[in-house]
Amino acid sequence: MIKKVLNYINQYEMIKPEDNIVAGVSGGADSVCLLFVLLEIRKQIPFTLKVVHVNHGIRKEAAEDADFVRKLCMEKDIPFKLVEKNIKESAKQNGLSEEEEGRRIRYEAFESELLPEGGKIAVAHNSNDRAETMLFHIFRGTGLTGISGIRPVNGKVIRPLLCLKRNEIENWLMESKIPFCTDSTNAQDDYTRNRIRHHILAYAEREVCQGAVGNMNRAADQLLEAEEFVARQTKAAVIKCTQTTQDGIVIKIPEFLEEDAYLRSRILLFCVEQTAGCRKDITAAHIRSIGELFEGTGSKEIHLPYHITVYKKYDMGMIKREETLQGGSLCEKERKEI
C-alpha cells in the first residue's frame, strides 16, 4: 500500500524534498493512516512534519481523541498542535451549517501552522470521500468543477490517500496493528454526506455495480482533465474579452459574444468570482441573467449578491462591487474544496 501511495504522490508531485507538511489528524482511521504513511514516505523523501488536531467541541469523546493523537505524536516525536473551537456557536454566528463551519475552522487552523516560507497541508480524504462528494454536488447542482469531486492537489492542500478506498485503509491499519479512534457520528445519518455514504453509495456498490467507487474516481480524473482544459480556454478568453480597471471588470461585448455559449458562462462566472472574492451564493440563474443582459439591446443593469452591480452600455459591460464588505466576508476566507 505504501508503494501505491508513493506512486500517487509522485504522479501529482505532492511532496518534494525539504517540504514543510502540516497534517490534519483527527484520530480516525483515515487520518491515522495518513500520519503513518507520511512517516514511511519521509524515509524516501525528506520533509518536515507537524500535526494539527482540531477539537470541534461537539462530541463528548472529543477530548479523548485529542489525547490519543497527542500521545501518538509524542511516541513518534512529531510536533503537535491542538486547536479547540466551539463549532456550534461559531456556526450560528457565521450563518453556516456545523459541517461547513467545521471545515472552515479546520483549514484555517492548518494554514495558521504553515511556516512563513510556505508549506503544504495534508488531509486524509480517500476515494470513497471523492465519490460521495461527486454525488453530493450532482444532487445540489454543479458544473465540471463540482462533478470532478475532490482534487488530489488544490493549492496548498494535498490528499495522498485519494488513491485508496476506505476498506483498504482500515484493513492496512488492522494488519499493521495500528490503533485509531472511532467517531460515533460517522454511524449516524445527521449529516447529508453520511446519508449518501450509508444508503446511496452503499446501494450502488451492492445493487448497481460492484466497484462503483473506483469507476466514479476514474470518471472524476477524466472530468478533472476536462475541467483543467476548459479553465485554460477560459483564461485565454478572459484576456481577450475583458479588462480590469479601478472601477471593476469591463466586458468587451462584441468579443464576448463571439465565444461559445458554454465558454461565455465560464467567463462570466470567473469575472463575478473575482469581483465577489468567491462563488458562494452565485447561482447559474445569476450567470444566465448577466448573459441575457449582454446579449440584449439598450442600457440596463442588474444586481447580484455581495453588492455587485452588472450593467451594459452599448458595446461595453461592467461588473463591479458597489460597496466593500466590512471586515471581509467568510467566502473570501474559505470555500476551499475542501
Side-chain angles (χ1 to χ4, degrees):
M1 192 192 79
I2 298 298
K3 184 178 180 180
K4 182 177 181 179
V5 176
L6 179 59
N7 289 338
Y8 193 68
I9 286 173
N10 290 334
Q11 177 184 350
Y12 289 97
E13 299 182 340
M14 294 185 188
I15 301 175
K16 296 180 180 179
E18 310 309 324
D19 267 348
N20 303 300
I21 306 295
V22 172
V25 180
S26 67
D30 295 345
S31 65
V32 170
C33 178
L34 173 67
L35 176 59
F36 277 82
V37 165
L38 287 174
L39 289 174
E40 289 297 317
I41 299 297
R42 195 166 63 168
K43 296 175 183 177
Q44 302 184 53
I45 306 174
F47 60 87
T48 60
L49 178 63
K50 183 173 187 176
V51 165
V52 173
H53 176 92
V54 180
N55 181 347
H56 295 158
I58 296 176
R59 297 179 296 111
K60 293 180 180 180
E61 64 268 29
E64 297 175 8
D65 293 353
D67 193 49
F68 170 81
V69 178
R70 180 190 290 107
K71 290 178 179 177
L72 196 58
C73 290
M74 287 178 63
E75 291 173 7
K76 301 298 180 181
D77 194 27
I78 304 168
F80 170 82
K81 174 69 179 290
L82 171 64
V83 176
E84 296 179 295
K85 295 285 185 180
N86 188 327
I87 299 298
K88 285 189 176 182
E89 188 62 33
S90 61
K92 290 179 182 178
Q93 292 175 353
N94 293 322
L96 297 173
S97 69
E98 290 180 11
E99 194 173 8
E100 287 179 309
E101 180 66 0
R103 184 185 306 113
R104 188 186 73 81
I105 292 295
R106 287 195 299 276
Y107 281 91
E108 190 177 79
F110 301 154
E111 188 150 359
S112 69
E113 293 303 313
L114 292 176
L115 296 178
E117 58 268 29
K120 295 171 183 174
I121 298 166
V123 291
H125 293 110
N126 58 52
S127 62
N128 291 70
D129 294 320
R130 193 183 198 186
E132 291 158 12
T133 300
M134 290 174 71
L135 292 175
F136 181 78
H137 288 166
I138 290 171
F139 296 151
R140 297 187 65 181
T142 187
L144 273 177
T145 303
I147 201 172
S148 59
I150 302 170
R151 291 172 175 255
V153 178
N154 188 17
K156 300 174 183 176
V157 180
I158 61 173
R159 298 180 169 91
L161 304 188
L162 208 57
C163 60
L164 301 178
K165 294 181 181 178
R166 185 170 290 123
N167 65 338
E168 288 183 273
I169 290 171
E170 293 174 352
N171 290 340
W172 182 77
L173 289 172
M174 287 188 285
E175 290 170 4
S176 304
K177 297 182 179 179
I178 298 173
F180 57 88
C181 302
T182 300
D183 185 343
S184 59
T185 62
N186 286 338
Q188 301 169 4
D189 282 346
D190 294 345
Y191 297 114
T192 303
R193 290 179 186 275
N194 282 10
R195 294 192 289 273
I196 291 174
R197 177 182 305 167
H198 298 153
H199 305 290
I200 300 172
L201 195 56
Y203 180 87
E205 282 276 3
R206 186 177 64 251
E207 303 291 343
V208 179
C209 176
Q210 187 175 7
V213 168
N215 294 337
M216 291 178 69
N217 274 263
R218 282 187 288 275
D221 288 336
Q222 294 178 17
L223 290 164
L224 184 55
E225 290 178 359
E227 161 62 24
E228 290 173 346
F229 170 76
V230 173
R232 292 193 296 272
Q233 298 296 109
T234 301
K235 183 177 180 180
V238 166
I239 294 172
K240 173 186 173 183
C241 301
T242 73
Q243 181 180 353
T244 302
T245 68
Q246 290 183 340
D247 294 327
I249 298 178
V250 174
I251 308 293
K252 304 170 187 176
I253 293 178
E255 289 87 341
F256 170 77
L257 294 178
E258 290 176 357
E259 300 294 340
D260 180 83
Y262 178 72
L263 205 56
R264 291 202 297 269
S265 67
R266 292 285 299 240
I267 294 167
L268 295 178
L269 180 58
F270 174 85
C271 292
V272 171
E273 184 179 2
Q274 290 295 303
T275 305
C278 75
R279 64 176 65 181
K280 184 178 186 293
D281 298 326
I282 303 300
T283 68
H286 291 133
I287 301 303
R288 187 164 53 249
S289 66
I290 302 174
E292 291 171 353
L293 173 67
F294 290 163
E295 291 167 10
T297 59
S299 300
K300 300 176 183 178
E301 69 177 43
I302 58 176
H303 300 276
L304 304 183
Y306 309 112
H307 304 276
I308 292 175
T309 298
V310 183
Y311 62 83
K312 174 181 180 289
K313 288 186 178 179
Y314 304 107
D315 286 343
M316 185 199 77
M318 172 69 80
I319 300 175
K320 62 184 295 186
R321 189 158 72 173
E322 298 290 352
E323 179 181 327
T324 302
L325 299 178
Q326 296 299 316
S329 67
L330 275 177
C331 77
E332 292 170 330
K333 299 173 184 175
E334 54 119 25
R335 306 315 300 173
K336 299 173 183 177
E337 170 175 304
I338 2 215

